[in-house]
Amino acid sequence: MSNATFVVSYALTSLSALSKRNCKTSRGCASMADLTPLFKPKSVALVGASSDTKKYGYWTAKSLIDNKFTGDLYLISKTAAADILGRKPYTSISDVPASIDLAIIGIAPKYILPVLQECADKGVKAVIVVSTGFGETGPEGKALEKEMLAIASKAGMRIMGPNCMGMFSAPASLNASIIDLDKGHMGLVLQSGNFGIDINFNAKKRGLGYSGWATIGNQIDLRFADFVEYLGQDEATRVVMMYMEGLRVSSVNDGRDFLEKARRTALNKPVAAIKIGRSAAGARAAVSHTGSLAGSEKVFDAALSQAGVIRVDSPNELLDVGEAFSRCKPAKGNRIAILTDGGGHGVMATDTAERFGLNALVLSDETQKKLRAILKPHCPVKNPVDLAGTPEADMWVFDRCAEVLLADPDVDGLVIVGLYGGYCDLSEEFRQLEMDVAKSLVERAAKSDKPVVMHSIYQPQCPDSLQYIMEHGFPVYGAIDAAMRAMGALVGYGARQERIRKELAAKPPQLPADRHARVRAIFDMARAQTRVNLVETEAREVLRAYGFTMPEYGLAKHADEAAKLFSKFGGSKVVMKIVSPDILHKTDAGGVCLNVASEEQARQAYDKLLGNARRYDALAEIYGVMVTPMLPGGIECIIGSSFDTTFGQTVMFGLGGIFVEVLKDVSFRVAPINVPEAEGMIREIKGSPLLEGVRGQKGANVAALAEAVSKLSHMVTELADVAEVDLNPVFATEDGVDIVDARIVLRPSNEM
């Protein structure tokens, strides 16, 4: 085996080094300039334009014209009509007497290849194929996509789609879709056109719009990573949002490219996503829809979190977050004040706060004193601050209390909940008062460096005062949990950025210089024997080569040698295990003896283990019996790794026993990771408090655990051969980490 196959070039201290290799993939490597013809074209051709009002080609042409595209527009059609919507049609794109930046193609698949070749010959820079009937339909469609990509790649032309619903660009006033989209500050990238219609319906109700909007369909060329990177650097975009069914990956490099670009974008501006396909049935539906690979759901979720992406579960939740970042400043901390005109709403908001990582702290004595000077004696002021009927006598208490709360240095954000917007029903005077207070609240929020969000039961009715607040100030939500989710996202964004910065600043573990040669010898031997399963003695040597401290052991070939090894290890208790490449699950085969306490017991255990192994598998090749000291124990953990088809090598951590077997209480990351990210994944499992010590039991050295997780992640990133690693159990103690059992499985040679 060559060193190139064995080692995945170890400049890999972060995912950025991995993503650089993506530029060598067959589809090329997108850069910022690649998307300029899409989002800021100077000229556009619509291929498949029509004068028939019942056809897609008519609707798209009308959308381009009605939205007043700032560049030159050319309609390509075989129609016999003299004009389409008052514009001269051209028979082919070759007939256009000017250069074309972007071509939008809406024709049947059987005509696509000659039209793409014509675009390539014309020097078109990018094409959007909105037609369906390609890779999502099966093998023939996938073969057609390959031919399309070959034509485009040869010409340096980029493809968006196929099987998509077009795009929108606010800077160019370009609406290359059939959906009525408004300008705004959200950048939205989707795999589903129908979902685009769904979310836009609600966005319009909220007065929200887009800086950029793209349905990318089957992603045969341009993919999520390219759009996230572009929108991340677009000045008009305040938040990047995604609807994902999966990632289209030619190799794991594509998954890692997305992860790195999403992480880089999250350092610059917030990124939020819906990823469908949580269930097995949902994943199958996603694959059939756009031909995407759903991948492991747990790993995908971990990858989004690792990149700083906010994951939500519904279109409304995505809009809740998008609206917050479109209209608010991120919070600098998680301490919030709650201002309410109804006790029930205030209590509900306080209960909900914790779920979204918010701290409804008790306000300082000074702030409470200022609030008491404003409110009636019966009004609670500790937090939540309850106006308790005061607005009916004085609407301006909303504004004066907001002023006090926003001025409090211990408060990072303000949530107003309750009935604002409904006072206008009392009288014309109240209608005007409510509007005047709304204007003052908007002005006050604009001057503050803290976010303000509002909940109102009247939001669905959208009275004038709430309409003004939403259009000129901050978001208003119709449900308390939506308002708290929005504030939670505003709070969590800073924490996500800080976590990424710490991880990027951390140094990777130092690994032994001779590790490659030592491990290569082990892998070569296994490959020569056509094995993918390393025996435990081999797995221990691989780990030792990477700097893991492993317990002593010896391999006995007969009973007397087992007795000698017992004495060698100090005459204390030992563990004895059968070593065979054909017996993977040693316990099932009766291949483990614990608490062996004498030389005679060692001899007996040796004979017993061999007898059990022969009965389990008479043809099994037996290398011998491993003898190793019995360890005192600790908190039982599991550390592992597996190869994910979307992101490549991953690392996993969990507590052992019932926690992993029944509760599935484990965390994942895409490898490699450094100690800060490893500590985060350890602390995010539900059972992590056990590591601190409970009911008088000693805690574990979490720092040592994090170092082990990080080291394993760097090891598997280097070793392209490795499919799985299972260190189970690992005893975590006050002093460090003891690896009790190790299993390593290689990838089959035909997958390398």
Side-chain angles (χ1 to χ4, degrees), residues 413-424:
L414 172 62
V415 182
I416 304 171
V417 299
L419 308 176
Y420 201 93
Y423 294 93
C424 61

Side-chain angles (χ1 to χ4, degrees), residues 4 253 264 304 308 335 354 471 496 616 631 644 665 713:
N253 289 344
R264 201 181 308 145
L304 291 178
R335 303 165 302 176
E354 186 176 351
E471 288 182 358
R496 286 181 174 85
Y616 182 78
L631 298 173
D644 182 77
D665 185 19
S713 79

Side-chain angles (χ1 to χ4, degrees), residues 537 540 551-556 561-567 569 574-577 579 596 602 606 625-629:
T537 51
R540 285 175 175 242
E552 290 183 287
Y553 74 92
L555 185 65
E561 193 172 4
K564 289 179 181 179
L565 286 170
F566 174 85
S567 297
F569 296 139
V574 298
V575 178
M576 297 175 63
K577 304 179 185 181
V579 179
V596 178
Y606 182 92
V625 172
M626 187 182 79
V627 182
T628 186

Side-chain angles (χ1 to χ4, degrees), residues 1-8 527 718-722 749 752:
M1 181 186 307
S2 69
N3 193 44
T5 303
F6 174 74
V7 178
V8 180
R527 295 290 190 193
E718 282 197 2
L719 304 181
D721 289 61
V722 172
S749 298
M752 299 298 298

Side-chain angles (χ1 to χ4, degrees), residues 684-722:
E684 77 181 35
I685 65 170
K686 295 182 178 67
S688 65
L690 294 175
L691 296 170
E692 306 297 333
V694 294
R695 295 186 177 180
Q697 293 183 346
K698 294 180 179 179
N701 187 331
V702 174
L705 267 178
E707 288 176 11
V709 172
S710 173
K711 188 177 292 184
L712 182 68
S713 79
H714 283 266
M715 182 187 96
V716 296
T717 301
E718 282 197 2
L719 304 181
D721 289 61
V722 172

Side-chain angles (χ1 to χ4, degrees), residues 211-232:
S211 54
W213 182 96
T215 56
I216 58 178
N218 293 5
Q219 308 173 73
I220 67 169
D221 179 24
L222 292 174
R223 299 180 179 174
F224 271 111
D226 306 306
F227 289 89
V228 168
E229 182 180 45
Y230 180 88
L231 293 170

Side-chain angles (χ1 to χ4, degrees), residues 599-656:
E599 289 186 9
E600 183 56 31
Q601 287 185 16
R603 291 188 183 93
Q604 294 172 0
Y606 182 92
D607 293 335
K608 178 182 178 181
L609 290 171
L610 253 64
N612 289 346
R614 293 300 183 202
R615 283 188 292 274
Y616 182 78
D617 185 350
L619 300 178
E621 183 179 3
I622 308 297
Y623 289 178
V625 172
M626 187 182 79
V627 182
T628 186
M630 189 85 179
L631 298 173
I635 299 174
E636 191 175 324
C637 302
I638 178 171
I639 302 173
S641 173
S642 60
F643 186 87
D644 182 77
T645 51
T646 300
F647 297 106
Q649 299 287 12
T650 68
V651 65
M652 180 269 287
F653 173 81
L655 296 183

